[in-house]
Amino acid sequence: MMKRLLLILTLFVTPLILSAQEVKQKDSVKNGWKRSGNIALLFNQAAFNQEWTGGGTSNYAGNLSLTYDFNYRHDKISWDSKLLVDYGITRNKDDKYSRKTNDRLEFNSIVGREIKESEWYASFFYNFKTQLAKGYEFNKDLDQSDPGYRTEKNHFMSPGYMQFGPGILWKKNDNFYVNIAPATAKFVFVDEQFTAVDTGVPGALDAYNEKKYYGVDANETSRFEFGASISGYAKFAIMTNVTAENILALYANYLEETKNVDIDYTLNLVMKVNEYITTNLTFQAIYDDNAAQGFQIREALGVGVTYGF
């Protein structure tokens, strides 16, 4: 576990060190609101006719993403919020169903009050995340027409995560900050259809407890945790027209399994061709032992249309 944590920290901290060498002064921002957003559509497609002898399956894939930042300043008060929305699907020619490649709805907000004349703030943060659409698990041993070929595993607000708590914020500017919250409340919400267990059936409860649905007890719809949270954000230009965005979130539950640190790290690399065309690379690594026994890895690369507002 420590090796995994050190790897993620290295990926995040190295860009922080590099960007720290370039940032000399705190942002000087006038009081009031500052807003910006970005919409990107990535599309990939491959097609083969019957005479094609090289092998291959016709397919298409698309991903739509939205980011929106709204930041507020008033003297010593700083309030930064970010909305992240991602949804992607892919489908092969011979498949009956399309499959999700990405599904994310997340909102982050940190409010802080500057401590004297420094880069430190007394802070309070809020985080919410879930997914937009249903997710399925596919049984490759069954025919696609079989009702058991795909099984619903999750949907909107199942799971849903909410975290909040007071802390201390170190902030160089809007693109470079770290927040430490040692007293964080965390809630996990799920639909009762995934936790329903008939306790009158011998062995049913034991079978469920061997692999709880996102850590939630049988016949319950939520789980409460209390622990420590560390979140960081670093966005900087690697070179002309190439921007790297790093987002890191760590969480340790005081109530149980304290040594198991939940990790969520995302790297977004944007290579700008012109005002509207970009090449985007996204890498995400998640470790949450209540969801999966090991790292969940997602990587996406594509050329798409981007619009900033």
Side-chain angles (χ1 to χ4, degrees):
M1 183 62 204
M2 286 304 298
K3 290 181 179 179
R4 296 169 181 166
L5 181 56
L6 288 173
L7 173 60
I8 297 298
L9 287 175
T10 299
L11 289 171
F12 181 77
V13 172
T14 299
L16 293 185
I17 296 173
L18 294 175
S19 61
Q21 296 174 353
E22 300 176 359
V23 180
K24 300 300 182 182
Q25 297 179 346
K26 275 179 58 177
D27 282 351
S28 178
V29 182
K30 295 181 179 179
N31 287 344
W33 287 98
K34 177 183 177 183
R35 303 177 180 87
S36 64
N38 188 76
I39 298 177
L41 175 62
L42 305 181
F43 182 76
N44 299 303
Q45 183 261 346
F48 308 89
N49 67 1
Q50 294 181 353
E51 287 72 30
W52 183 259
T53 61
T57 302
S58 298
N59 65 85
Y60 69 84
N63 192 92
L64 178 66
S65 65
L66 164 70
T67 61
Y68 187 69
D69 295 271
F70 39 109
N71 307 317
Y72 178 76
R73 300 288 177 276
H74 184 77
D75 299 334
K76 291 181 175 293
I77 301 298
S78 169
W79 184 15
D80 300 303
S81 300
K82 176 184 286 287
L83 175 66
L84 300 166
V85 182
D86 283 288
Y87 186 74
I89 59 172
T90 184
R91 186 169 185 174
N92 292 328
K93 178 182 177 181
D94 298 327
D95 284 350
K96 181 179 179 180
Y97 303 103
S98 59
R99 305 191 185 201
K100 290 196 301 183
T101 56
N102 191 21
D103 191 353
R104 180 184 192 182
L105 172 61
E106 183 168 356
F107 176 73
N108 293 292
S109 188
I110 302 177
V111 61
R113 189 182 192 283
E114 186 178 1
I115 301 174
K116 297 182 179 180
E117 296 294 330
S118 69
E119 295 170 348
W120 293 93
Y121 296 75
S123 67
F124 188 90
F125 90 100
Y126 175 84
N127 169 266
F128 167 80
K129 59 182 177 181
T130 184
Q131 58 184 31
L132 298 169
K134 293 180 180 180
Y136 296 91
E137 183 176 77
F138 296 86
N139 189 337
K140 298 179 181 179
D141 296 329
L142 298 178
D143 186 85
Q144 294 189 34
S145 60
D146 193 301
Y149 175 69
R150 66 172 189 168
T151 304
E152 183 181 335
K153 302 300 291 184
N154 41 47
H155 54 231
F156 177 72
M157 283 303 292
S158 188
Y161 299 93
M162 182 171 66
Q163 294 184 51
F164 54 86
I168 188 78
L169 170 69
W170 178 83
K171 182 176 182 180
K172 194 72 175 179
N173 53 51
D174 287 344
N175 293 323
F176 189 17
Y177 55 82
V178 176
N179 186 70
I180 303 172
T184 297
K186 178 179 179 180
F187 292 88
V188 182
F189 303 101
V190 300
D191 194 310
E192 61 183 355
Q193 76 179 75
F194 299 112
T195 63
V197 176
D198 186 350
T199 55
V201 177
L205 184 59
D206 291 337
Y208 177 84
N209 288 334
E210 288 182 3
K211 191 177 180 179
K212 293 182 179 181
Y213 186 74
Y214 293 95
V216 178
D217 290 335
N219 300 315
E220 298 292 338
T221 58
S222 64
R223 169 185 169 90
F224 173 74
E225 298 180 5
F226 183 75
S229 171
I230 300 176
S231 59
Y233 181 80
K235 182 179 179 181
F236 57 93
I238 298 177
M239 59 183 70
T240 303
N241 293 331
V242 180
T243 303
E245 180 185 52
N246 295 267
I247 305 171
L248 176 66
L250 306 175
Y251 177 80
N253 182 14
Y254 294 147
L255 303 182
E256 58 182 67
E257 301 294 345
T258 307
K259 294 181 180 179
N260 287 352
V261 179
D262 293 346
I263 303 169
D264 190 341
Y265 169 73
T266 301
L267 167 65
N268 294 315
L269 193 64
V270 179
M271 293 157 278
K272 186 175 181 180
V273 178
N274 56 39
E275 186 177 357
Y276 298 107
I277 305 298
T278 62
T279 298
N280 297 64
L281 170 65
T282 298
F283 171 82
Q284 184 176 15
I286 298 175
Y287 182 84
D288 182 351
D289 61 338
N290 287 320
Q293 297 302 309
F295 266 103
Q296 304 172 62
I297 301 294
R298 178 176 69 90
E299 180 270 329
L301 173 65
V303 177
V305 178
T306 301
Y307 176 72
F309 57 93

